[in-house]
Amino acid sequence: MYRKGEQRMEKQYWEDKEYSFFSHKKCEYFPCHKGANPDDFNCLFCYCPLYALGDKCGGNFRYTDSGIKDCTNCQLPHKRKNYGYVTGKYRELADMMKKIKEDENKF
């Protein structure tokens, strides 16, 4: 029973599922981000699928002087709890790719 004002926190469908977390502790670069918790470091998105979203990825990044997106300080895709956030952005990525394809077909 919950007191007035309390919300019930239900688990997400992917929580505690093997497919949502993979930690490759034998990797030569593990963990590849300084300050990361090795016990909670998810290697599933080793190459972040959100990179292409630019400033809409939601992560902690910066652009270098030459305009390259630098995600060195970002741990967003590497935290176990963020699996749902990353996969939740797939529709946005698909829409972006669709728009690019439509724009290419205009020429």
Side-chain angles (χ1 to χ4, degrees):
M1 187 163 217
Y2 296 96
R3 292 182 216 164
K4 187 176 182 178
E6 287 184 350
Q7 292 182 348
R8 183 172 176 222
M9 298 296 291
E10 292 187 32
K11 277 189 167 185
Q12 296 293 319
Y13 70 93
W14 50 265
E15 287 185 63
D16 299 326
K17 301 288 193 275
E18 292 294 322
Y19 65 79
S20 69
F21 183 81
F22 169 71
S23 190
H24 185 25
K25 293 184 178 180
K26 291 184 180 180
C27 176
E28 296 82 356
Y29 302 102
F30 183 85
C32 58
H33 293 267
K34 289 182 182 177
N37 177 353
D39 295 325
D40 192 44
F41 196 85
N42 194 351
C43 300
L44 188 62
F45 303 115
C46 180
Y47 292 96
C48 184
L50 306 183
Y51 184 89
L53 291 175
D55 63 355
K56 293 176 178 53
C57 69
N60 181 22
F61 68 92
R62 70 178 189 90
Y63 285 107
T64 65
D65 292 338
S66 58
I68 304 295
K69 188 176 175 185
D70 175 9
C71 304
T72 302
N73 295 319
C74 183
Q75 294 182 31
L76 187 142
H78 301 297
K79 290 185 179 181
R80 183 187 306 258
K81 68 180 182 179
N82 291 339
Y83 174 86
Y85 177 83
V86 173
T87 58
K89 289 284 205 173
Y90 285 176
R91 170 55 45 200
E92 194 174 334
L93 281 163
D95 291 345
M96 185 177 77
M97 294 296 105
K98 181 179 177 183
K99 182 175 180 342
I100 288 170
K101 183 136 180 99
E102 289 170 353
D103 289 348
E104 286 175 351
N105 290 333
K106 289 180 183 178
F107 299 102

